[in-house]
Amino acid sequence: NAGVMQNPRHLVRRRGQEARLRCSPMKGHSHVYWYRQLPEEGLKFMVYLQKENIIDESGMPKERFSAEFPKEGPSILRIQQVVRGDSAAYFCASSPAGSVSTDTQYFGPGTRLTVL
Amino acid sequence: SQQGEEDPQALSIQEGENATMNCSYKTSINNLQWYRQNSGRGLVHLILIRSNEREKHSGRLRVTLDTSKKSSSLLITASRAADTASYFCAERGNTPLVFGKGTRLSVIA
């Protein structure tokens, strides 16, 4: 059973370009979470999605950032018109449907975004 | 910020010694989880302790939870060089995981 897959692992963009980060959850998992990690910091929650639904986007910046998890295919985190401050590691996690008291999130290896 | 705090920020010990990391959190939790992150890698889930539990063991790991003090500790016994990593606690309330800033553990052979 493959783990959470993220691609690309490294992404370099110039200011003003768009960045698209992909996440394929573990087989059988229908919940996807995106986190951002700045150097020497913990992970900050961005958005929580189930298939075709955004459940919680309280951690997403109001502008330039969007996320989707279509019925078919991976979850996509999209950053438009990137700025240097967007440089970070972006992690995706997935979990099976289940109760809050027992959920465990399985993390992908991350995408390291560098904005020049 | 809702982010919790780990203490210490960095810890360096000799192989074979025990390592203790502490975590304070701010909200009412449903459970608290500990994760490990090796340099440049994703997070690996270590252990989950529910709010009605006080102590939990998994191999060389021992986690305690004190909800009255909103704190948790992670003990790694008989540490190994391979335990060198950053360790994060994450609180789970009604919102998705809130991570602390982590403790960087170095185990010297």
Side-chain angles (χ1 to χ4, degrees):
Chain A
N1 186 12
V4 178
M5 313 261 292
Q6 288 188 250
N7 68 82
R9 294 291 308 276
H10 299 273
L11 181 61
V12 179
R13 285 287 178 266
R14 296 190 180 280
R15 281 180 296 168
Q17 291 184 320
E18 178 180 288
R20 291 171 71 90
L21 288 62
R22 296 176 187 78
C23 168
S24 296
M26 285 181 72
K27 188 176 181 180
H29 287 191
S30 57
H31 299 235
V32 166
Y33 310 80
W34 285 94
Y35 296 86
R36 177 165 61 180
Q37 185 179 33
L38 295 172
E40 307 300 322
E41 296 278 328
L43 275 69
K44 296 282 180 64
F45 166 74
M46 298 181 74
V47 62
Y48 163 34
L49 310 104
Q50 293 181 25
K51 286 281 187 181
E52 299 184 282
N53 282 308
I54 296 175
I55 306 302
D56 183 344
E57 55 181 348
S58 58
M60 286 276 271
K62 293 288 185 283
E63 298 176 347
R64 302 188 297 108
F65 285 72
S66 63
E68 62 177 7
F69 189 15
K71 188 176 180 181
E72 301 289 339
S75 175
I76 306 283
L77 178 67
R78 183 180 176 209
I79 311 172
Q80 295 178 290
Q81 298 176 313
V82 295
V83 300
R84 289 218 173 103
D86 297 332
S87 295
Y90 291 82
F91 290 95
C92 165
S94 73
S95 68
S99 69
V100 168
S101 64
T102 58
D103 67 343
T104 295
Q105 295 183 17
Y106 297 84
F107 281 80
T111 293
R112 274 147 192 84
L113 172 66
T114 301
V115 180
L116 301 178
Chain B
S1 167
Q2 286 186 312
Q3 195 172 28
E5 297 273 338
E6 278 97 340
D7 169 54
Q9 290 187 352
L11 179 61
S12 183
I13 59 173
Q14 297 287 329
E15 204 167 30
E17 294 181 334
N18 296 342
T20 299
M21 289 159 271
N22 302 297
C23 163
S24 60
Y25 59 91
K26 298 185 178 180
T27 64
S28 296
I29 61 169
N30 194 294
N31 63 65
L32 187 132
Q33 303 177 32
W34 284 89
Y35 288 81
R36 183 185 72 217
Q37 184 180 35
N38 289 85
S39 180
R41 308 289 294 273
L43 274 72
V44 174
H45 181 263
L46 295 176
I47 197 165
L48 179 154
I49 186 166
R50 299 191 190 97
S51 59
N52 62 352
E53 297 176 313
R54 291 297 166 258
E55 187 171 314
K56 202 160 184 180
H57 296 254
S58 177
R60 293 185 296 112
L61 305 181
R62 173 176 166 254
V63 169
T64 61
L65 180 65
D66 186 338
T67 52
S68 67
K69 296 180 180 178
K70 287 189 165 62
S71 67
S72 174
S73 67
L74 171 67
L75 169 68
I76 304 174
T77 60
S79 63
R80 305 166 182 168
D83 295 328
T84 295
S86 291
Y87 292 81
F88 295 90
C89 68
E91 52 189 274
R92 183 70 154 99
N94 291 323
T95 57
L97 293 174
V98 177
F99 284 85
K101 292 186 177 182
T103 293
R104 291 188 302 280
L105 174 65
S106 298
V107 181
I108 303 165

